Amino acid sequence: MRKVHVAEESPETGASVSVAVAQAEAIVGDIEANLSTLAVLIERAAGQGADVVVTPELFATGYDPAGAWRHDGAAIRDAIAGLARACGIAVVGSTIETRHDDGGPRHYIAASFFSASGRELARSLKAHLFGAAERAHLGTLGYGSVFEFNGLRCAMGTCYDVEFPEFVRHGARAGAQLFLVPTAVPALHHQEPGRGPAWSYDATQTSLLQVPARALENGVAIAYANHAAAGFTAHSCIATPYGRNAALIEAGEGVAVVRVDAASIDAARRLNTYLVDVDRPGLRNE
């Protein structure tokens, strides 16, 4: 069963972006089928009035870090750019980028921002690798840059990146107001024997706790798109700078859209002055 929760929206003021998250099930290795699923999701987001839609991590190949690098990432980026152009909406897609140096090819998980015309405006490489398979087959090159879209300053991350406070703080201090994050969160449950619920862990906490916390402590909005297949947590969300999820897709296939505006970002930062106070004497974080 699919549940989508969307909070009531505030009036539009100034620069704004209607951002969507798309959630669905990918088939590992079946690029044609996965691109067809993406086409449906992207068209649905466009039909709901989104300016940009964020899709899950490595959706076109299926999340398989041990094998995704074997596929042609450049060709997949071209295909996603074509979907953006066909649907007339910007798309954040996740692929493998391959670079060649003296030591041979090196592969990275990349998040790309394609405009509604299909032009790639920005690309950000995953900074924090998750699990043994990613670390065995993929590389990292540090944090990405900030770019502008519809008057808002945006940054991209991938999955595990947003679980590190330093990552989002770095982008916010560079001027980012909106983070666009493809993700693939594996289901994980842990309960300490003989102890109560406070001594348990469920990976859905990333969507329900960590993403809203990163948004609150940096005065940003975060669009976080996950897989819906068995073994993943789903729970794609869009968090506001007030530390709450304005949209949440609990399970199954779906698209949710929220309008993010500069006025609300500014208001949240006036209320919680973390970005100013972190630079006060004795607290500077270089």
Side-chain angles (χ1 to χ4, degrees), residues 163-213:
E163 297 182 44
F164 291 83
E166 299 84 357
F167 181 86
V168 182
R169 176 57 51 84
H170 178 272
R173 293 183 71 180
Q177 299 163 299
L178 171 62
F179 279 78
L180 308 165
V181 184
T183 194
V185 182
L188 175 65
H189 308 273
H190 171 75
Q191 172 69 58
E192 287 200 15
R195 309 201 74 169
W199 296 92
S200 66
Y201 175 77
D202 189 300
T204 57
Q205 288 176 246
T206 304
S207 297
L208 300 177
L209 175 64
Q210 286 180 288
V211 171

Side-chain angles (χ1 to χ4, degrees), residues 54-173:
V54 184
T55 63
E57 182 180 13
L58 295 179
F59 192 89
T61 61
Y63 178 74
D64 175 29
W69 59 272
R70 301 179 188 277
H71 298 283
D72 187 343
I76 293 171
R77 283 190 290 277
D78 286 344
I80 296 173
L83 294 177
R85 188 164 49 249
C87 295
I89 181 176
V91 177
V92 175
S94 173
T95 62
I96 294 292
E97 176 178 328
T98 299
R99 298 186 179 186
H100 297 268
D101 55 29
D102 293 340
R106 187 71 167 159
H107 310 287
Y108 305 87
I109 297 177
S112 295
F113 187 103
F114 300 98
S115 72
S117 66
R119 179 168 167 254
E120 187 175 10
L121 299 183
R123 189 183 302 175
S124 177
L125 303 185
K126 188 170 186 177
H128 297 283
L129 300 179
F130 175 82
E134 286 192 11
R135 289 191 287 270
H137 297 282
L138 302 164
T140 181
L141 285 176
Y143 293 174
S145 58
V146 174
F147 60 98
E148 188 169 307
F149 176 68
N150 280 19
L152 284 187
R153 294 181 297 279
C154 302
M156 293 183 292
T158 302
C159 195
Y160 203 34
D161 288 341
V162 81
E163 297 182 44
F164 291 83
E166 299 84 357
F167 181 86
V168 182
R169 176 57 51 84
H170 178 272
R173 293 183 71 180

